[in-house]
Amino acid sequence: MTDEPKTLTRERIAVGDMWRYADDARSLPAAVPPKTLPSEPLVPQPGQQTLAVGQRVTRPDSRNHGLGRTKYIDDLAFPGMLFAKFKRAGIASARIMRIDTSAAEAMPGVMAVLTGNEIPVNSFGPTFQDQPVLADPIVRHAGDGVAAVAAVTEQIAAEAVEKITVDYEPLPAVFDPLEAMRDDAYKIHAPNSNIYASKVVRRGDVDKGFAQSDQIFEGRFTTQMVEHVPLEPHAAIAEWDANGRLTVWATIGRITLARADLARTLKLPMNRVRLIGTFVGGNFGGKNEISQEPALALLSKKAGRPVKGVFTRNDEFISSTTRHPFIMEYKTGVTKDGRILARSVRLILDGGAYCSWSATTLGKACILASGPYKIDNVHSEAHVIYTNKTMTGAMRGFGAPQVCFAYESHMDDIAKALGIDPLEIRLRNVFDEGTSSPTGQVLHSVVVRESLRNAADRFGWETRS
Amino acid sequence: MTDVTITVNGSVRSASVPPETTLLKLLRDVFQLTGTKLGCDVGDCGACTVLVDGMAVNACLMLAAQADGRQVLTIEGLAMKDRLHPLQKVFEESGALQCGFCGPGMLLSAKALLDDNPDPSSHDIRDALAGNLCRCTGYSKIVEAVQDAARAMRDPRTEDTRQLEMHGHD
Ligand code: FES
Ligand code: FES
């Protein structure tokens, strides 16, 4: 006990001391921008390569990253700050009958507990406001939060979460999107259908195209759910001050949207909400909307202290958005020499429990579904379906990688069956300068033919074994 | 409470912490050296890598008490007083740090490798960095950067050239 003050004194002096090396680095010259770029702004011209291509680019923030000086959310702390943890449902589909938080509240060090019924407007989402901040009373996937705790240490918060008991009435659940599409399927957002968004792109007449084709190929392709796994987990700090103003520091990619969602869920005028987007330690689409922030804000309001929430890696996998699994059915009519006359595509997106950025993903996937090929007759349709799984949302490419996997695999199958070189069949069909895409957009700066040839030359396509 | 005394980046530090405190918590929460990151807390990602007696360890898996009496190097101690460590300089120049969250751990794993093996093959580098996950760069720039840094560190002229570059004499 007598040692304590001594240790503390040393600490106070030592902290400044510890920063010495990194502090000195501040006097180093800043990271140098690439020298060869002209100083006047670059105006890209169609069909011309910009001067930026091929330049070595130095990121202006790398200096701080390399020195360990970049302050991500979890590197910030405020006096009196509390730590939040979430109770996850652990059941995919259920009605919450009762939540008992009394044991958690009685724990020393627990400063506030929150459940869904305390959230002013318990729904948010970038497209449809179909996602609750904390499930109340319906749980739609196992990662749904059902309660949150703020405590003086992370450990106490985690222990308190364990002490919360929830009585559930299990409800039917549906996990397969094809099953969920059926009329008699359990409605996850009753009374609405589980098919929550659709899109169709039509060009020419596919039936005529198929009738004129020498051969018709069909293929079915599926992709799996993918988590973004940013190295920095979702993290935020909320401080609700005594004047009723809210400040939130968050690792988030879309701060204006997040601010609007915060104001909406908390029923606050927008000018009472200040959102500070900090460095993001990897987003990839997974940090494009709010998640725990409204709950942290309300915990802070209750406790009168700033509250930090950092997702565990487990939270990250079960309750942040993921990439949509796709079921993709392709049908393509070709001539004997491999020219595509017609293509029909049907995409079924497993949308998980909430919409998030599904509508955007659906649209982009549907527009790109027929590939970078000149096809006069196209029919693409896409549907996104609710299932009782972790919600799917934005992830790099918004659905483009899934359809690319399918149409290119399909192309390879066709080439093989027709005995045409896979590169050759692509060159016979690819977009050219001025081609109009299936949605009628006239495309410029199209270099896919040159790119394919260059790539084939570079990796020795002809001489491959 | 357990008393821990360690030498961090050259300074002797001590603290009295609950016995379950990890080295990562000690560094970040008690010593406020937040350059070391927490990515998973279970030894999977390497964001928490620090050097303990020169060896790269996952600070989230080591108890603070296990580091008692040892030398710990964190990212805050990697730069010299007046210049960056060659690894930091090359990582910065070659775009090997994007979001940067993996950076501190990556740099320290790379340092442990170069201290041991000044001329690693790309295979050696991949092997040494296998415990450090990066979701942004795709690794190739990181591997190239470590090779470039190794080359620079082996070159006897490097120090002077670097000094000049740093101070902007062309
Ligand atoms: S935080 Fe230690 S390995 Fe991930
Ligand atoms: S730079 Fe983002 S994880 Fe490596």
Side-chain angles (χ1 to χ4, degrees), chain B residues 37-41 43-48 58 60:
Chain B
K37 302 298 173 209
L38 184 151
C40 67
D41 220 12
D44 283 338
C45 72
C48 62
N58 286 336
C60 70

Side-chain angles (χ1 to χ4, degrees), chain A residues 10-51:
Chain A
R10 281 181 59 152
E11 277 323 307
R12 300 189 80 94
I13 298 161
V15 170
D17 188 44
M18 295 311 300
W19 283 106
R20 198 180 64 226
Y21 293 110
D23 273 346
D24 282 340
R26 272 204 258 188
S27 59
L28 295 176
V32 258
K35 289 198 189 79
T36 38
L37 277 183
S39 49
E40 67 270 18
L42 296 171
V43 184
Q45 300 298 325
Q48 262 182 35
Q49 186 153 306
T50 85
L51 293 166

Side-chain angles (χ1 to χ4, degrees), chain A residues 86-312:
Chain A
F86 287 80
K87 172 106 183 155
R88 303 281 168 203
I91 179 169
S93 182
R95 177 187 302 276
I96 299 171
M97 304 306 286
R98 200 177 63 98
I99 302 185
D100 184 357
T101 57
S102 53
E105 272 162 271
M107 274 179 71
V110 170
M111 309 302 280
V113 178
L114 185 78
T115 52
N117 58 2
E118 296 169 85
I119 294 161
V121 179
N122 194 5
S123 67
F124 70 94
T127 309
F128 304 141
Q129 280 77 45
D130 62 351
Q131 182 172 351
V133 178
L134 293 173
D136 174 45
I138 306 292
V139 168
R140 297 188 182 87
H141 76 102
D144 262 340
V146 293
V149 173
V152 291
T153 70
E154 255 185 292
Q155 208 172 344
I156 295 174
E159 273 166 36
V161 159
E162 295 297 309
K163 295 212 170 143
I164 296 174
T165 54
V166 188
D167 295 340
Y168 296 106
E169 177 203 330
L171 294 174
V174 54
F175 303 104
D176 175 32
L178 296 178
E179 212 175 285
M181 284 175 86
R182 293 210 305 254
D183 284 341
D184 60 347
Y186 168 68
K187 304 275 181 295
I188 294 169
H189 290 261
N192 301 337
S193 156
N194 289 332
I195 306 176
Y196 64 96
S198 298
K199 190 179 182 80
V200 177
V201 171
R202 222 176 291 129
R203 173 192 204 152
D205 181 344
V206 270
D207 293 331
K208 218 171 85 201
F210 285 131
Q212 289 166 350
S213 301
D214 294 327
Q215 231 174 314
I216 291 175
F217 293 90
E218 290 186 65
R220 186 173 189 273
F221 306 90
T222 58
T223 57
Q224 79 285 28
M225 189 178 270
V226 180
E227 160 59 28
H228 309 81
V229 201
L231 259 240
E232 178 209 28
H234 283 66
I237 301 171
E239 181 169 30
W240 195 302
D241 75 15
N243 271 336
R245 285 182 196 276
L246 172 67
T247 307
V248 173
W249 292 259
T251 166
I252 212 157
R254 297 189 184 235
I255 52 174
T256 37
L257 174 76
R259 185 176 179 223
D261 268 342
L262 269 168
R264 185 176 174 280
T265 48
L266 299 170
K267 253 194 169 160
L268 281 179
M270 190 99 85
N271 66 358
R272 300 248 126 191
V273 180
R274 187 158 71 122
L275 189 105
I276 300 168
T278 58
F279 285 93
V280 176
N283 176 341
F284 320 119
K287 291 175 182 163
N288 275 1
E289 68 242 64
I290 56 166
S291 51
Q292 57 179 334
E293 289 78 0
L296 300 182
L298 292 167
L299 287 170
S300 170
K301 184 183 184 189
K302 277 188 151 182
R305 299 224 220 157
V307 177
K308 179 195 272 188
V310 180
F311 272 15
T312 62

Side-chain angles (χ1 to χ4, degrees), chain A residues 231 281-282 284, chain B residues 96-103 106 133-137 142:
Chain A
L231 259 240
F284 320 119
Chain B
L97 297 163
Q98 284 189 24
C99 80
F101 205 79
C102 67
M106 202 63 92
L133 302 185
C134 174
R135 286 292 279 169
C136 303
T137 62
I142 292 176

